[in-house]
Every structure is written in C-alpha cells, then in structure tokens.
Amino acid sequence: MATHSFAVSPEDYPRPLNVMGDTVSVLARLAQTGSYAITIVHGKAGDGPPPHRHDWNESFFVVRGSVDFSFRGCEACAEAGSLVHFPAGEIHSFTFGANGAELLEITGPGSRAVEMFEALDREIPAGANDGTRIAEVLAQNGVEVVSGTPSHD
C-alpha cells in the first residue's frame, strides 16, 4: 500500500460523524498511512460502547476528561494524559466520565473502525437505542458485541 506524507489541520477535518450521539472526526485512514487509522472521539458522560472485540489492535489516548475502561475483569479509570491499549481479539468496553471526554484513537492493521463509524453515522439515528440493529451494523464491520463483563479469554 503506497503512502505519502501529509498534514491534517482542524480546518481540514471531514464532517464529524454522529456516532449514536457522540462525534468522531477521522484524521487518517488505513489507505493514507498504510497500517493504522486515527480518529478523535468526543463522548458525552455515560456514553461508550458495550463489551466487544475485533481483529485489530486499538489504542486510546485520553486528551480531555476521564474514561472508565473495562478489560480482563479489571476496571481502570484513565484520566487525561493516559494511554490504554487493547490487542486484537481482547474483549473491552469503556464509559466516558462525568464531564465527558475526548479520546485520540489509533487502530492497527486490518482496522475497520472508520468504516464502522461511518456506517453507524449513516444507519443509526442519534438517540436510537435499537440494540439488535446496532449489533448488526457493528458485526458487518468486524466488531462482535459480547454480553457480560469483559474478562480474559
């Protein structure tokens, strides 16, 4: 996959995606970098994905606020300046803290995160709570929703 140098300023960001009431700005796609995608996620207090897994690595850097992450039977409150990493296949979830938060998300080779965010923006209206349809859209984009609490597989 050929890549080239590039710079992205806030005025260059594409339209923010509305992902179930939160916003996601795509900064870089796999096709641009050759191996990873980068997004900025602005989440409201209490929002966040259910326990899930996917076949790509994923790292989060907390830019602002706090985020409660769950993985391998653990809970971790990550404050601004914290980095949290999940290897491919690990069940995880997170919830944005009391004042909401901003995350820089970096997903690894094979990631379909950007496509998933675009599909959620396109197919699930903000405020909709159709768990079955949401799970279908996630599955179509390589994300498996897992019931229960994230634990070690």
Side-chain angles (χ1 to χ4, degrees):
M1 188 178 301
T3 64
H4 62 278
S5 300
F6 63 92
V8 180
S9 299
E11 59 270 8
D12 300 325
Y13 294 0
R15 176 188 67 81
L17 302 171
N18 184 333
V19 179
M20 299 170 43
D22 296 323
T23 60
V24 176
S25 296
V26 177
L27 302 183
R29 296 171 175 272
L30 287 174
Q32 292 172 282
T33 68
S35 62
Y36 57 90
I38 304 171
T39 59
I40 295 178
V41 181
H42 292 91
K44 297 187 303 279
D47 284 359
H52 66 282
R53 70 174 139 219
H54 38 69
D55 292 336
W56 58 83
N57 294 331
E58 184 172 47
S59 295
F60 295 97
F61 180 79
V62 182
V63 175
R64 180 189 56 76
S66 66
V67 182
D68 295 321
F69 289 91
S70 296
F71 56 98
R72 294 192 320 261
C74 300
E75 297 284 330
C77 180
E79 301 287 335
S82 299
L83 176 76
V84 178
H85 174 78
F86 299 107
E90 182 169 61
I91 299 170
H92 60 283
S93 66
F94 61 86
T95 304
F96 293 105
N99 296 313
E102 179 179 8
L103 294 173
L104 181 68
E105 176 191 34
I106 302 169
T107 58
S111 171
R112 295 183 59 204
V114 170
E115 293 79 4
M116 174 200 63
F117 291 139
E118 290 171 334
L120 288 168
D121 174 71
R122 187 175 54 251
E123 299 180 35
I124 308 294
N129 197 18
D130 181 349
T132 300
R133 181 66 188 127
I134 293 166
E136 288 172 358
V137 171
L138 294 175
Q140 291 165 358
N141 290 280
V143 178
E144 177 190 1
V145 175
V146 181
S147 62
T149 305
S151 61
H152 185 60
D153 287 357

